Structure formats: structure tokens, C-alpha cells
């Protein structure tokens, strides 16, 4: 019997219209767990290294995490993986909500799509009955609207539906996949779904998921719930409100937006409004939030209530997703939060990433102000800040006029526009828009996370280590006193010694080796979550979460029956993380790509930054170019990767790298 997982994947060939139920190899679960880990293995094995994201040979994988569908609190993530049209590297994005547990209850761990359907279709999974159904009547429908129409059509109000909107259908690089109160937004996965002619997946499952040691497993789950109960209301002093408790950023519960509105840039990562958060604005925004927020809600099997149902006047009800509450308002320089709530509803129906889309729009208007784009490009555009944002959003998702260019995101749009536009597309890493945050002093931990993270998305890499030193020794001592999540006492010392000023302050403290250990730990927690399907909000993202490296091995053992300890789990993390890196290395990722946005910090330290990269690569067992070495691949059981690298000349027998590599971008040209 298979425990925690079902042991079956669905293989859907959209070109041929075929559906197969295929048993998976249990050995792969031992090597990679599930979710992201096994997705990476499938992409490595089955997709040609030089595949175009919009090729029928590209796969689109909807995966449950290994613990999804078990009673583990917060085990509800769907991990979607493919090759991103924006970065051209592996793209993976997670969504919470309800889809993954439902898929497990229907009897499947993954749904793997290949090919392209000639007509728009959706997949209906109803336990053992699986059908590809016509979706031509859903063309152009909103993502939320589509979910509702499909439930009505199937007469199955309990079906969980993940759908794309118009942006995905039109292969907008910022297109998301929307579901429940969540979405897989980053890296254009919705565009790949649209390219495959797949409008939605609807799932209803009523089967059981088995766990290996039920009594022990339930005991561990109860301990997690107990811990949440105590920890969640006990906020950590001196930490900004949305990070002081548990859960994904609790922005829908909090009114205080001083930190975001005054530290994040407005427009396209350009202007800080340092005195923005006045008493008057606070009252106005509180009122706006509390008027439209009808209810706080959770994902499947979680007590945290990170999301909210929004009913803004004049638009249909929707659910607010991570941080979108502020992004449109700030990009458009609108002082009225109502605007943000209204445009976010339209954007959610269109199915777009709430981080990248507002930046792409603001970027377009900045180019117009700079004379790089012309009046003709914006013919018919209203002049007021709100009106012009609605106008451009509509054009981008329809790929009309200048909207067609901006639909590829700021990096590719700047390249196409030329005439100096590149200087305005300055907030990207590996061609992907980042948080519009501009700071003073280089933070060496964040430098490494930004530069080397394979997720291309800082908010999903940062985590359990404090973002800044605590101001007093009392606070530091109080923090480390019950810090059971720290991997070992060295990490406590880093917190105790970390100062705002002087020798033990940023950028030279924590020292290079400590930064590597901290980043490695944070990555480890994220990779484990993404393999298990655990929400980062209860594990890798907040300070002092209920899940950590010391209790997860026991939980995995009780769920799966696999013998697991911390070393074993660390080995799996290293294998999964290295495999994702290898996939990207095979597509041209090199050291030159590993840099944060140029103006993210005012004070930069090139020599230290080089040392940080050198130190991190060495720590990981990679060579000077960031390529895993033969030895390190061998230690992780990835000899097949080493052989591939040798054959392609990416590694040579003496492990040097050839001087010239063809990058994915070069191939695209
Ligand atoms: S912590 Fe928040 S985002 Fe995570 S599963 Fe719970 S409700 Fe969802």
C-alpha cells in the first residue's frame, strides 16, 4: 500500500485527447518526496533541454505535495511546474486553496499535461471518471466566473476548479492560474496553460488517503495545532505586523500599512513616499478595508485565515490574494484604497499576477512620460490615474497595441521598445519582476537569496531567520530563548551578535560563511514545503513556525512509513534543489545571471558580493559558474545529471566549464 500519496498520476495528451492513469515509481518518493521534487525529476527526464515554453513538448504539471490530503494542518499546496515563457528557466509556482487535497481524494498525485488542444477545453476529474470537455463557451470568461460556470454545468457545487482568465488564453507572460482564494501567479504559468488550450481543471474526489502510522501522525498534527494556538497571537516584538505572527502575510487582517507604503516604491519601483502614512490616510484606508472585507478565510485545513472575501461596490465578489491589496494602488499613485480593491477584482478575473502586472503598467506610463512611448501608443487612454490603469490593463490582457508589447513583462517589453527603455525595466531578476523595494545598505543574506534563488521570487525564498537585527540584547535573548526551530546553536549566536551599527552590522555581518548557512537553511525549509505541499505560512516563511527541521522528519515518517531523519531530509533537499539548478544550468543559467536588481540597495560592495557568491557556490558544491560539480552530483545520486553535463560540454572531466555557453535567451533570439 502507498501511504500519504496515491501512487497514481494522470497523463493527459491534449493534442491527441488521450487520458492515462499511470502508476508512479515509489522509489522516486524516497528520493524526492513529491510536489516540486518529483516535478523536477519529470521535467529533467521528459522535456527536451532546449524546449520552447510554448512548444507542445513542454509539460505543465499540477502536483499535490506529499502530505496534501492528510490531516497535516496547512498541507494544501498545489505545485505547478513548467518552463516559464518569461524567464525561460524552470518556472514553479504554488497555490493554496483546495485543489491539491481534492485531487488526492480523487486518487491522483499529479496531473501532467503535454501537447496542445486544437480547441479550448477543460479537464473534469470526478474520482475515476476523467474527461476532456469542450470549453469553447468559456472563451474570454473570467477565471472566477469560469469556476462558477463549470460547477453549474457539472451540477457539482463541491468541485474545486483552477482556471485561467483572458490573460492566460492570450499567453500574457504575467498570466496566473486562479483557484479558491489562491493563485499560482508568478512566472507566467497561466500563459502556458492557455497555450495548451486548457481553460480549467475541475476536480471532485471522495476517496481516502492512507497514512502509515495514523495514531502517531494525528498526535503530531495535534501538537502543530496546539502550537499555532499559542504562537499565532503572540507577536514577536519589533517585527513588522504582517511578519510578527504566523501565516502568509496577514495583510487582509491588518490596517497598518505604514511600512509598505513608505518603504516600497510607487509606480514602477521608482518613487518612495516617505511621509505618506498620515492619520487621515490610516482612517480612510481602515474604512475602505473594513467596508469591502466581508470575511477572513482560510485555505483547506488551516486555522490561520490569511485571505479575505471582498465585496466592493459595483463589482462581483472575489477573494483577495497575496499582497494585491496594495500593488495596483501604489503602482498608479492613487491615494484611495477603494481603487485597489476594484481593479484587483478585474485583474483576478483576467487572471494576472498582482506583482508583475501593476509594475508593467506603471512602466508603460513612465516610458510615455519619458517620451520613449508616444501619444499614439496611448491613443484613447483616459488622463486620470485610475482610468488610465483600467485602460491599459484591458489592452495588455487583450494584447492590443502597446498592450501586446507590455504583455511580455518589463524585461522583454524594454528590449522590444529599445530607445533607452531598458533603463526603466530595472526591477527584474532573471527577467522577472521583483518586489518594488529599494533600501540603503546591502543585506548580505538577501543578496544571496535574490541572486541565487531558483524561484525567482524573493517573497518565497525568505524565511525563518530575522530580516534585521533586534535593537537590544534583551530582545535578542528573548528571541533565541525558545527558538526551537533553529538548526543549531550557531544560528542563535548569529542573532545575538548581530548589531545595527559597528563591526557586527551589515554588510559584513553575518560573515560570508554564516550567510551561506542561513540562506541554505531557508532554502531547505522552502524546498521541503514545496515537496510536501505545506503552506510556507506555517513553515518556511514566518519566524518560529510550527513546522521545522526538527519535527518534520517524524511527521514524514508517520505519514509515509519512510524512515526519515534530519540528515535524510537534508539530503533530499540538496538533491531536489540541485536538480532544479541543473535544469536551469542546462538552459544556460550561469553566474552572470545571478544578481539582484541594480538599484535594490544604494550601498553596494562588489568585492563582498563576489565573495558571497563564491562562498555560497562552494557551500553548495558548485563550481565558479554556479554549476554543480561531478562530485557533488555523485553524492546526491545525480550521476545522470553529471553525464548529461559532460556530454553537453557544460562540465569537462576536470570540472572546468567551457568558456562559451549558449543561454536560453540567445536561443530565443
Ligand atoms: S497559513 Fe494562510 S495561506 Fe497558509 S494555508 Fe493557512 S490560511 Fe492558507
Amino acid at each position: 500500500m502507498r501511504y500519504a500519496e496515491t501512487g497514481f498520476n494522470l497523463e493527459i495528451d491534449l493534442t491527441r485527447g488521450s487520458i492515462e492513469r499511470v502508476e508512479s515509481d515509489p522509489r522516486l518518493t524516497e528520493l524526492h518526496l513529491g510536489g516540486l521534487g518529483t516535478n523536477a525529476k519529470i521535467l529533467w527526464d521528459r522535456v527536451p533541454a532546449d524546449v520552447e515554453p510554448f512548444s507542445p513538448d513542454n509539460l505543465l504539471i499540477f502536483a499535490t505535495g506529499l502530505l496534501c490530503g492528510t490531516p497535516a494542518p496547512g498541507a494544501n499546496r498545489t505545485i505547478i511546474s513548467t518552463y516559464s515563457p518569461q524567464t525561460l528557466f524552470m518556472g514553479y509556482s504554488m497555490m493554496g486553496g483546495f485543489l491539491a487535497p481534492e485531487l488526492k481524494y480523487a486518487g491522483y498525485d499529479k496531473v501532467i499535461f503535454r501537447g496542445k488542444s486544437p480547441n479550448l477545453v477543460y479537464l473534469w476529474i470526478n474520482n475515476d471518471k476523467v474527461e476532456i470537455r469542450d470549453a469553447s463557451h468559456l472563451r474570454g470568461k473570467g477565471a472566477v466566473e469560469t469556476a462558477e460556470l463549470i460547477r453549474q454545468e457539472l451540477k457539482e457545487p463541491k468541485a474545486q476548479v483552477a482556471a485561467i482568465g483572458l490573460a492566460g488564453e492570450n499567453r500574457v507572460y504575467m498570466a496566473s492560474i486562479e483557484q479558491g482564494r489562491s493563485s499560482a501567479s508568478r512566472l507566467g504559468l497561466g500563459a502556458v496553460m492557455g497555450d495548451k488550450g486548457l481553460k480549467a481543471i475541475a476536480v471532485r474526489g471522495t476517496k481516502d488517503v492512507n497514512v502509515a502510522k495514523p495514531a502517531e501522525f494525528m498526535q503530531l498534527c495535534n501538537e502543530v495545532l496546539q502550537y499555532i494556538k499559542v504562537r499565532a497571537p503572540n507577536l514577536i516584538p519589533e517585527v513588522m505586523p504582517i511578519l510578527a505572527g504566523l501565516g502568509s502575510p496577514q495583510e487582509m487582517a491588518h490596517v497598518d500599512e505604514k511600512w509598505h507604503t513608505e518603504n516600497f516604491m510607487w509606480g514602477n519601483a521608482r518613487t518612495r513616499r516617505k511621509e505618506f502614512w498620515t492619520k487621515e490616510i490610516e482612517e480612510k484606508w481602515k474604512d475602505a478595508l473594513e467596508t469591502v472585507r466581508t470575511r477572513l478565510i482560510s485555505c483547506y485545513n488551516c486555522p490561520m485565515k490569511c485571505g479575505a472575501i471582498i465585496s466592493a461596490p459595483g463589482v462581483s465578489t472575489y477573494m483577495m490574494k497575496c499582497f494585491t491589496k496594495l500593488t495596483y494602488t501604489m503602482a498608479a499613485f492613487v491615494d484611495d484604497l477603494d481603487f485597489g480593491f476594484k481593479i484587483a477584482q478585474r485583474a483576478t478575473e483576467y487572471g494576472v499576477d498582482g506583482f508583475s502586472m501593476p509594475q508593467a503598467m506603471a512602466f508603460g506610463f513612465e516610458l510615455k512620460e519619458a517620451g520613449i512611448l508616444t501619444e499614439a501608443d496611448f491613443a484613447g487612454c483616459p488622463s486620470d490615474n485610475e482610468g488610465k490603469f483600467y485602460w491599459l490593463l484591458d489592452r495588455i490582457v487583450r494584447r492590443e497595441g502597446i498592450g501586446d508589447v507590455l504583455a511580455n513583462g518589463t524585461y522583454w517589453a524594454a528590449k522590444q521598445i529599445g530607445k533607452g527603455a531598458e533603463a526603466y525595466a530595472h526591477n527584474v531578476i532573471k527577467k522577472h519582476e521583483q518586489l518594488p523595494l529599494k533600501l540603503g545598505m546591502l543585506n548580505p543574506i538577501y543578496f544571496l537569496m535574490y541572486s541565487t534563488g531558483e524561484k525567482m521570487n524573493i517573497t518565497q525564498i525568505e524565511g525563518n531567520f530575522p530580516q534585521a537585527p533586534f535593537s537590544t540584547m534583551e530582545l535578542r535573548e528573548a528571541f533565541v530563548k525558545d527558538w526551537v526551530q533553529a538548526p543549531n546553536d550557531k544560528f542563535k549566536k548569529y542573532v545575538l551578535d548581530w548589531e545595527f551599527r559597528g563591526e557586527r552590522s551589515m554588510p559584513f555581518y553575518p560573515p560570508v560563511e554564516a550567510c551561506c548557512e542561513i540562506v541554505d537553511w531557508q532554502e531547505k525549509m522552502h524546498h521541503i514545503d514545496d515537496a510536501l505541499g505545506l503552506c510556507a505560512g506555517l513553515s518556511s516563511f514566518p519566524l518560529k513556525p510550527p513546522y521545522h527541521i526538527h519535527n518534520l522528519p517524524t511527521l514524514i515518517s508517520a505519514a509515509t512509513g519512510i524512515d526519515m531523519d534530519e540528515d535524510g531530509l537534508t539530503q533530499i533537499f540538496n538533491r531536489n534543489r540541485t536538480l532544479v539548478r541543473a535544469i536551469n544550468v542546462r538552459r544556460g543559467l550561469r553566474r552572470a545571471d545571478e544578481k539582484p536588481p541594480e538599484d535594490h540597495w544604494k550601498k553596494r560592495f562588489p568585492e563582498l558580493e563576489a565573495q558571497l557568491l563564491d562562498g555560497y557556490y562552494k557551500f553548495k558544491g558548485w563550481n565558479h559558474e554556479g554549476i554543480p560539480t561531478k562530485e557533488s552530483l555523485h553524492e546526491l545520486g545525480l550521476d545522470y545529471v553529471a553525464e548529461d553535463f559532460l556530454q553537453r560540454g557544460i562540465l569537462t572531466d576536470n570540472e572546468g566549464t567551457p568558456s562559451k555557453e549558449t543561454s536560453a535567451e540567445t536561443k530565443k533570439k
Side-chain angles (χ1 to χ4, degrees):
M1 182 182 286
R2 306 280 283 264
Y3 295 113
E5 60 185 349
T6 68
F8 288 94
N9 295 334
L10 274 176
E11 295 272 356
I12 314 291
D13 187 324
L14 289 161
T15 306
R16 294 162 45 179
S18 65
I19 299 168
E20 282 176 274
R21 177 174 175 266
V22 179
E23 188 165 5
S24 59
D25 180 353
R27 173 84 186 124
L28 290 182
T29 311
E30 286 175 18
L31 289 171
H32 300 281
L33 298 176
L36 176 65
T38 36
N39 283 5
K41 177 73 173 130
I42 291 168
L43 284 182
W44 175 273
D45 284 347
R46 290 176 45 185
V47 182
D50 58 354
V51 77
E52 288 287 337
F54 293 145
S55 156
D57 293 334
N58 189 13
L59 297 182
L60 177 67
I61 309 173
F62 283 69
T64 64
L66 186 56
L67 294 183
C68 292
T70 73
N76 52 45
R77 260 42 194 172
T78 308
I79 302 96
I80 306 175
S81 309
T82 188
Y83 283 101
S84 161
Q86 194 176 28
T87 64
L88 305 178
F89 294 128
M90 178 176 171
Y92 58 97
S93 195
M94 275 65 61
M95 59 186 179
F98 303 85
L99 190 81
E102 198 73 25
L103 199 52
K104 277 276 183 78
Y105 299 143
Y108 311 101
D109 298 318
K110 294 184 199 290
V111 186
I112 304 168
F113 294 97
R114 62 181 185 274
K116 288 191 196 196
S117 169
N119 308 307
L120 195 65
V121 294
Y122 73 92
L123 187 73
W124 169 219
I125 303 168
N126 186 8
N127 289 318
D128 296 339
K129 196 170 167 220
V130 183
E131 302 170 61
I132 299 172
R133 295 174 66 110
D134 175 51
S136 50
H137 57 300
L138 299 170
R139 186 173 293 284
K141 300 284 186 210
V144 181
E145 186 187 9
T146 294
E148 196 43 46
L149 289 170
I150 287 178
R151 277 192 282 266
Q152 285 170 17
E153 177 174 310
L154 297 171
K155 297 190 178 45
E156 183 46 86
K158 289 186 174 163
Q160 299 299 336
V161 183
I164 55 169
L166 193 55
E169 287 179 38
N170 288 336
R171 307 197 307 181
V172 171
Y173 285 10
M174 297 162 279
S176 59
I177 302 168
E178 302 282 328
Q179 179 265 320
R181 63 145 293 249
S182 196
S183 76
S185 280
R186 308 292 275 158
L187 296 161
L189 309 190
V192 175
M193 187 160 163
D195 178 66
K196 294 202 169 299
L198 181 67
K199 179 72 179 172
I201 302 179
V203 187
R204 178 72 182 125
T206 55
K207 299 182 193 177
D208 292 327
V209 171
N210 300 304
V211 293
K213 301 173 207 161
E216 191 184 325
F217 188 70
M218 286 311 295
Q219 165 73 20
L220 293 165
C221 293
N222 286 334
E223 284 171 17
V224 165
L225 285 173
Q226 278 307 319
Y227 180 86
I228 292 173
K229 216 180 208 174
V230 176
R231 165 71 182 88
N234 278 304
L235 306 184
I236 295 176
E238 250 197 16
V239 173
M240 74 177 90
I242 62 162
L243 295 178
L246 291 179
S248 290
Q250 295 270 308
E251 79 230 357
M252 295 313 295
H254 290 286
V255 171
D256 181 357
E257 292 295 355
K258 180 176 170 61
W259 198 86
H260 282 124
T261 53
E262 294 190 351
N263 286 288
F264 278 42
M265 310 303 270
W266 293 60
N268 168 41
R270 194 159 299 276
T271 309
R272 258 175 79 175
R273 296 172 80 179
K274 289 184 184 163
E275 308 294 326
F276 177 77
W277 194 252
T278 60
K279 199 79 209 143
E280 191 192 341
I281 287 281
E282 181 169 354
E283 284 303 313
K284 207 169 134 191
W285 281 34
K286 180 173 187 280
D287 198 40
L289 175 69
E290 290 175 356
T291 306
V292 300
R293 187 190 63 197
T294 52
R295 194 155 60 91
L296 289 173
I297 49 168
S298 281
C299 308
Y300 179 83
N301 192 24
C302 179
M304 286 309 301
K305 296 191 178 159
C306 299
I309 295 182
I310 304 296
S311 295
V315 298
S316 61
T317 296
Y318 71 105
M319 296 181 228
M320 182 60 80
K321 57 191 180 188
C322 188
F323 199 55
T324 304
K325 173 179 144 189
L326 298 184
T327 49
Y328 290 95
T329 305
M330 289 176 66
F333 284 86
V334 172
D335 290 353
D336 183 355
L337 195 59
D338 284 333
F339 163 74
F341 286 124
K342 284 191 187 153
I343 196 168
Q345 184 272 343
R346 191 181 296 189
T348 302
E349 286 289 11
Y350 282 149
V352 290
D353 176 10
F355 282 77
S356 295
M357 179 56 93
Q359 275 184 48
M361 290 196 285
F363 165 76
F365 290 117
E366 283 163 6
L367 294 187
K368 180 170 171 260
E369 280 157 29
I372 295 172
L373 291 176
T374 64
E375 287 295 335
D377 292 316
F378 290 86
C381 179
S383 58
D384 65 297
N385 279 4
E386 296 191 10
K388 66 189 195 186
F389 257 60
Y390 281 113
W391 181 90
L392 191 53
L393 176 64
D394 291 350
R395 257 126 216 100
I396 290 176
V397 298
R398 290 185 167 78
R399 281 192 171 274
E400 289 171 0
I402 192 61
D404 187 34
V405 178
L406 295 170
N408 294 343
T410 55
Y411 174 87
W412 293 109
K415 269 195 151 358
Q416 191 176 338
I417 294 164
K419 296 184 267 182
E422 276 102 335
Y424 293 78
H426 56 135
N427 197 37
V428 292
I429 299 175
K430 295 163 190 163
K431 313 176 188 69
H432 186 51
E433 290 82 9
Q434 301 298 318
L435 284 182
L437 185 58
K438 303 292 168 214
L439 299 166
M441 176 57 74
L442 178 90
N443 177 328
I445 302 169
Y446 272 71
F447 169 81
L448 277 182
M449 290 193 293
Y450 269 124
S451 301
T452 63
E454 233 77 34
K455 234 175 222 183
M456 324 297 177
N457 184 6
I458 191 65
T459 52
Q460 294 177 18
I461 304 168
E462 61 194 342
N464 293 166
F465 196 80
Q467 294 192 1
F470 290 103
S471 62
T472 66
M473 186 50 83
E474 289 70 37
L475 282 171
R476 288 172 216 157
E477 284 172 350
F479 182 79
V480 301
K481 199 169 71 182
D482 61 352
W483 197 21
V484 295
Q485 294 81 357
N488 57 51
D489 285 348
K490 266 201 285 182
F491 289 75
K492 295 183 182 173
K493 188 162 163 37
Y494 300 148
V495 169
L496 289 170
D497 289 351
W498 201 12
E499 307 266 6
F500 269 115
R501 284 182 190 80
E503 274 181 17
R504 292 201 302 263
S505 69
M506 292 190 281
F508 296 106
Y509 196 91
V512 171
E513 206 183 309
C515 289
C516 296
E517 290 172 0
I518 292 165
V519 171
D520 181 70
W521 170 41
Q522 300 200 132
E523 277 186 338
K524 185 193 301 187
M525 296 314 301
H526 279 281
H527 263 270
I528 294 169
D529 286 350
D530 299 345
L532 298 180
L534 286 178
C535 172
L538 296 179
S539 183
S540 46
F541 186 71
L543 301 168
K544 301 188 176 178
Y547 293 115
H548 47 82
I549 190 61
H550 307 303
N551 66 5
L552 279 167
T554 330
L555 190 82
I556 295 168
S557 292
T560 62
I562 298 171
D563 271 344
M564 188 69 70
D565 57 18
E566 284 183 36
D567 287 346
L569 192 51
T570 297
Q571 179 80 343
I572 292 175
F573 149 65
N574 282 326
R575 183 177 300 120
N576 288 350
R577 198 266 180 265
T578 304
L579 191 54
V580 174
R581 160 90 11 176
I583 286 171
N584 289 337
V585 162
R586 205 160 66 157
R587 287 176 72 81
L589 178 69
R590 295 293 183 271
R591 185 185 181 109
D593 298 303
E594 310 243 84
K595 47 186 186 226
E598 217 161 275
D599 57 352
H600 186 82
W601 294 285
K602 250 196 205 130
K603 294 186 186 165
R604 297 288 296 268
F605 298 81
E607 212 175 301
L608 172 64
E609 292 170 22
Q611 286 168 11
L612 282 161
L613 267 191
D614 287 342
Y616 175 84
Y617 287 172
K618 197 169 162 212
F619 187 95
K620 292 285 188 188
W622 302 349
N623 69 15
H624 181 75
E625 282 297 311
I627 300 169
T629 62
K630 255 189 338 178
E631 269 98 29
S632 62
L633 290 166
H634 176 70
E635 275 167 29
L636 296 169
L638 297 174
D639 290 312
Y640 57 89
V641 173
E643 275 164 36
D644 183 279
F645 281 1
L646 285 170
Q647 264 174 21
R648 289 174 193 277
I650 292 172
L651 281 179
T652 57
D653 270 330
N654 63 6
E655 304 217 320
T657 50
S659 53
K660 284 198 183 122
E661 286 302 324
T662 315
S663 75
E665 186 181 343
T666 313
K667 282 176 196 158
K668 189 173 175 176
K669 285 183 208 156

